[in-house]
Amino acid sequence: MYKPNSPWTWAFVGVSFVQAAIVLGFEAYAFGKFQSSLRGNVDRESPSHTIPTFLALYIFGFLYQLLLVYDALRLKNTIQVIGLCIYNVGLLIYAAVQMDQIEEAIGLLSSRNHIDYSVWQTERPYLIAIPCIIGLGTVLMAVIAWKLYDEFAWTIYKHISADLKMKRRYLTFQIYIALLKFDFFFFLGFTIQFVVVVVDRHNIEFYLTIAAIPVTIIILLMAGLFTRRENTPGMLVIITLYFAGLAYFLFKLVRMWQPSSPRHVLYDPVRRPLTTFAVITVILIILTIINACMCTANFGRGLKPHIAGRKLESEEEKFANHNTTEMPSYNYRYGPGPGGAMGSRMTID
């Protein structure tokens, strides 16, 4: 089992964990204060679901981020580390959006005598602090990511060698796999908000939206599997499904801002956060389609052996695992290995 083995890997884990703990603590306080201040029958009021939805998303978002942090450090994946910094920016934007949306929700409920508007004044400092904390966390993560880039560079170089063409193919693969992981969160975040606040549970759309969640997970898992196995027919099917997903999110985006839509008013409590998630998801799907096409074009060019069952070890892990006391034999023409065999090194195209 992997554990951080350098000051900078520990620092990256530490910043992510402390940020998550503080933000989730503030969100939990805001949720508790809001729920305890509600009065009357508000179960049918969409604004009453706004804060619980934000809290659920933040819990999932930060727990998922910690999982991706562990995954990125375990694989020494600099692309995913950089992606986590951008992911944090997305959480920062969402935190800024939620402040206005919660104020609006409390205002609507206050006008219907379901809550006292003074609750907003109590929660406001905590909601202002959340984007400030995430902003500081983003800066610290970016600095640590720069240090990790240098730390992981030699490991990646040893794994892929000096072949520039192969390094570019491997970089494309890393970007694609990282995009799949971030696609999952933003799709699920959009779906949670849509189901909890907007969709009527007696409507067929509710059940179709719920069914889309496991289908999406399967598609993303198969996308990664087809890429690793260089399965061209499978990738063509996946790319087609990406275009279908892109059409779905564009449709939802237009629908929620279309005044003539019969469901226009239902989007009021979460229109801005849903828009944020939809726009980010559309951008991610476009980037995913581009990288999927590039990965497919790289099939059959020698990358498959280097990504199948990939495992990168630190020098300490390598020493502990092999526990060797002999120096490897070197043949200056062919490199280390018995009889001058090249071992796992890659040939230059």
Side-chain angles (χ1 to χ4, degrees), residues 8 11 14 48 89 107 136 224 269 280 290 343:
W8 291 115
S48 67
V89 173
L136 176 62
I280 293 175
I290 293 170

Side-chain angles (χ1 to χ4, degrees), residues 157-168:
Y157 175 82
K158 288 187 294 182
H159 181 68
I160 297 298
S161 85
D163 185 352
L164 293 178
K165 290 182 180 178
M166 196 61 68
K167 287 176 74 174
R168 282 195 292 267

Side-chain angles (χ1 to χ4, degrees), residues 312-325:
L312 298 178
E313 297 178 310
S314 66
E315 294 302 321
E316 294 82 357
E317 292 169 330
K318 193 172 292 184
F319 179 79
N321 290 338
H322 296 290
N323 195 24
T324 180
T325 57

Side-chain angles (χ1 to χ4, degrees), residues 24 27 31 50-61 192 196:
L24 290 180
E27 285 282 344
F31 171 73
T50 301
I51 293 181
T53 303
F54 282 133
L55 179 62
L57 271 179
Y58 261 88
I59 290 174
F60 175 71
I192 288 173
V196 172

Side-chain angles (χ1 to χ4, degrees), residues 231-335:
N231 186 321
T232 302
M235 284 299 291
L236 293 177
V237 172
I238 293 295
I239 291 171
T240 303
L241 292 173
Y242 287 154
F243 277 107
L246 180 61
Y248 169 81
F249 278 98
L250 288 173
F251 166 74
K252 291 294 186 184
L253 193 58
V254 171
R255 188 183 187 187
M256 74 177 73
W257 286 99
Q258 191 174 24
S260 60
S261 172
R263 303 175 62 83
H264 180 75
V265 69
L266 296 177
Y267 290 98
D268 287 342
V270 287
R271 180 173 283 109
R272 284 192 293 272
L274 270 178
T275 301
T276 301
F277 266 75
V279 170
I280 293 175
T281 306
V282 165
I283 294 171
L284 283 173
I285 292 175
I286 292 172
L287 293 175
T288 304
I289 291 172
I290 293 170
N291 276 272
C293 293
M294 293 172 68
C295 284
T296 305
N298 288 333
F299 287 176
R301 297 188 178 182
L303 185 61
K304 184 178 179 179
H306 298 271
I307 61 177
R310 172 176 175 256
K311 181 180 180 182
L312 298 178
E313 297 178 310
S314 66
E315 294 302 321
E316 294 82 357
E317 292 169 330
K318 193 172 292 184
F319 179 79
N321 290 338
H322 296 290
N323 195 24
T324 180
T325 57
E326 294 183 333
M327 292 293 289
S329 60
Y330 281 84
N331 180 305
Y332 285 98
R333 181 178 178 187
Y334 296 104

Side-chain angles (χ1 to χ4, degrees), residues 190-206:
F190 179 90
T191 305
I192 288 173
Q193 294 177 90
F194 188 75
V195 168
V196 172
V197 182
V198 179
V199 179
D200 181 3
R201 295 187 180 183
H202 301 291
N203 193 309
I204 188 64
E205 188 176 8
F206 174 81

